[in-house]
Amino acid sequence: MSDIDNDSHLPALLKSGTAISHRVSRIRDNVTNPALSYINSLAATNTTGGRANARFMLERFCRFLIGNSLAKMDWLLLLTNPELTERAIAGFLHYKAQQKACYTGAKVDADQPYINMHLTPVIEGISAVARSAVDAGQLTELQQELWLSRLSKSDLSEVDPLEYGWLSESIPSFIPSITDDEISLTAHQALEGFSAFCITSCIHRFDWDGLLTAPVVKATMSEYLAQGVVLKGEKERDYSPATADNLFRMLRGVAEHHWLAENISVERLQRIKAIKLPRGSRKSSGRYISYQELDNILDIASTHLNPLRGIRDQAIFTMLYDSGLRRSEAVSLSLANINWEENCFTIIGKGNKERNVYFDPEGEMIDKLKAWLSVRDSIVSEGANLAKEPVFCGISKSKVPTGKAISTQTINDICKWVTQKGFHRQISPHDFRHSLATNLLSQGYDLLSVSQVLGHSSLSTTQRYDQRGEEALRQTIVKRN
């Protein structure tokens, strides 16, 4: 038995405790840490919104204040022990799978816990750390070669994964020096995420009580926003007013959960809520898709070498355009959610809110959808639970529907594919949603009705979706009789 196969022989820097104690500690942190408590109070969603978006924004804010996690862990402990590195990477990938399942309300596949988790960026990032250690004289080239050889042959599914926060934060004797040009942005992000897994995230280690007073919140927000979006060490652009508002809304939420835990007074909370940020606005980032452009998109989709892909993707595009569904709503739509008698889809949207979206039974969308369902229904067994049968499923290499729901990334990918195959500009799934709002408003429907179709809780959100823009303004002029 190797040294790392038994927790009692793990290096002294590793935190002690069983898997159960780590889980109990994680639950306690989720209750006592106001940021984690706030994040867990948000709705689960299989997009980047909700919990995932809040965690991303708050982690980035904390990292700005306390520094990157990769500079606060003992890399030499990993680089000189390949077995320990295997366990750490396996734990990180398993943690990411669990985290994704938590955000989406799904379950981790027991047989494939690492599915859709990208191992390559993690290896790329840690390999860059190893090269930096060799250059600094902290690691021999032979040790580096043995480490890489071991990882290249590793079967992580057979490795006992380490728990989240297994390593104590320290002031290491070696801090890796990695330039932005050495590794990809994805590898940089994976490396920081891996470091945060090992020593816990910046959100965990941040002094929230020290931050949550009105003067400190206002000063740190101003400093953070002044930094702007930094890429490759240089400021690329300012944060948009919407981003600033979202971050401040999240900090107010964190403060409120700190108050709920009886750690701050209501007066202190109210002072934080009273902070006013500079106002501003930006034009909507959505792009309008005309009916002619939709026809072009459908023509391109029909040319796919896999004819079933063409049929399915046409149904997806027309549904997004005519019903304005979010990506997450489209991929979670089940066969049971289609009411053919009432001509509507039953949608469970953001915040677990249910709404009906009605459709024209004679419209092009229904023609495309029925064409797809005639293929899709061929794999639905008699007596199947239609509530669990997704409308849009994957297609195997042998050109057979799999029955397994596609992901939101799949919809992103087919949009990119259309551009690669000749559409004149990039499109995103949300452009279809903006286009529906614009078309309905152009046809004279009131803002409230359009808001209800889209499932917005605020009319101001729907207003931002209006892409009539300059053409509408050109028509809005006073003429002397």
Side-chain angles (χ1 to χ4, degrees), residues 27 38 64 106 119 126 142 195 200 206 224 250 254 280 337 360 363 382 416 421 435-436 458 469 479:
I27 293 171
Y38 163 72
F64 166 74
L119 174 62
I126 301 179
L142 178 60
S195 304
T200 72
F206 189 70
Y224 176 75
M250 292 173 188
V254 173
N337 293 142
D360 178 4
E382 185 177 349
K416 292 177 183 177
K421 293 302 178 180
S435 301
L436 173 69
S458 170
K479 294 183 179 179

Side-chain angles (χ1 to χ4, degrees), residues 353-383:
K353 292 180 292 187
E354 183 176 320
R355 73 182 191 279
N356 287 334
V357 177
Y358 293 87
F359 54 77
D360 178 4
E362 306 297 327
E364 182 182 24
M365 179 191 72
I366 295 304
D367 291 340
K368 301 295 185 186
L369 180 60
K370 286 182 176 179
W372 163 245
L373 290 180
S374 67
V375 177
R376 168 75 179 84
D377 289 349
S378 64
I379 63 168
V380 179
S381 61
E382 185 177 349

Side-chain angles (χ1 to χ4, degrees), residues 220-459:
T220 52
M221 277 284 295
S222 298
E223 186 178 347
Y224 176 75
L225 295 175
Q227 172 202 237
V229 178
V230 177
L231 291 177
K232 295 188 176 181
E234 296 183 1
K235 180 177 178 179
E236 183 173 272
R237 64 182 184 276
D238 290 326
Y239 286 113
S240 70
T243 299
D245 287 341
N246 282 337
L247 177 59
F248 185 45
R249 172 178 52 81
M250 292 173 188
L251 291 178
R252 289 199 306 266
V254 173
E256 186 168 351
H257 279 261
H258 207 39
W259 168 72
L260 288 171
E262 300 182 356
N263 291 320
I264 60 174
S265 65
V266 67
E267 291 82 6
R268 187 169 156 187
L269 173 63
Q270 292 304 322
R271 290 190 185 99
I272 293 173
K273 288 186 173 183
I275 295 173
K276 300 295 183 184
L277 295 179
R279 303 302 301 169
S281 65
R282 296 286 189 275
K283 290 184 177 180
S284 172
S285 59
R287 291 158 292 192
Y288 177 68
I289 298 172
S290 68
Y291 287 105
Q292 291 74 22
E293 288 176 321
L294 176 65
D295 291 339
N296 189 6
I297 290 170
L298 297 179
D299 288 341
I300 294 173
S302 68
T303 65
H304 200 285
L305 295 177
N306 185 334
L308 294 191
R309 267 284 309 267
I311 295 171
R312 185 200 66 185
D313 293 354
Q314 285 186 321
I316 290 174
F317 285 133
T318 53
M319 177 174 286
L320 293 177
Y321 195 84
D322 284 7
S323 64
L325 300 189
R326 300 177 177 95
R327 291 174 303 164
S328 58
E329 294 169 348
V331 301
S332 62
L333 189 70
S334 70
L335 296 177
N337 293 142
I338 307 177
N339 188 329
W340 296 105
E341 294 182 359
E342 297 293 333
N343 298 321
C344 71
F345 305 118
T346 300
I347 305 299
I348 306 297
K350 280 187 177 181
N352 204 29
K353 292 180 292 187
E354 183 176 320
R355 73 182 191 279
N356 287 334
V357 177
Y358 293 87
F359 54 77
D360 178 4
E362 306 297 327
E364 182 182 24
M365 179 191 72
I366 295 304
D367 291 340
K368 301 295 185 186
L369 180 60
K370 286 182 176 179
W372 163 245
L373 290 180
S374 67
V375 177
R376 168 75 179 84
D377 289 349
S378 64
I379 63 168
V380 179
S381 61
E382 185 177 349
N385 185 352
L386 296 184
K388 295 184 178 180
E389 292 286 345
V391 171
F392 298 114
C393 64
I395 300 170
S396 68
K397 293 181 179 179
S398 57
K399 302 178 181 180
V400 176
T402 64
K404 186 174 181 179
I406 62 174
S407 67
T408 54
Q409 185 58 46
T410 300
I411 298 185
N412 288 342
D413 292 341
I414 65 174
C415 287
K416 292 177 183 177
W417 182 86
V418 165
T419 300
Q420 294 168 355
K421 293 302 178 180
F423 192 66
H424 65 279
R425 62 176 173 84
Q426 290 185 339
I427 54 172
S428 75
H430 223 65
D431 290 344
F432 293 87
R433 190 166 160 83
H434 281 261
S435 301
L436 173 69
T438 301
N439 289 338
L440 291 176
L441 291 169
S442 297
Q443 293 173 25
Y445 291 99
D446 64 273
L447 194 62
L448 178 59
S449 297
V450 177
S451 178
Q452 291 173 336
V453 170
L454 296 176
H456 287 155
S457 57
S458 170
L459 293 179

Side-chain angles (χ1 to χ4, degrees), residues 41-59:
S41 72
L42 301 175
T45 169
N46 59 356
T47 67
T48 55
R51 295 173 186 169
N53 185 50
R55 181 151 195 151
F56 171 78
M57 291 190 69
L58 289 173
E59 178 73 7

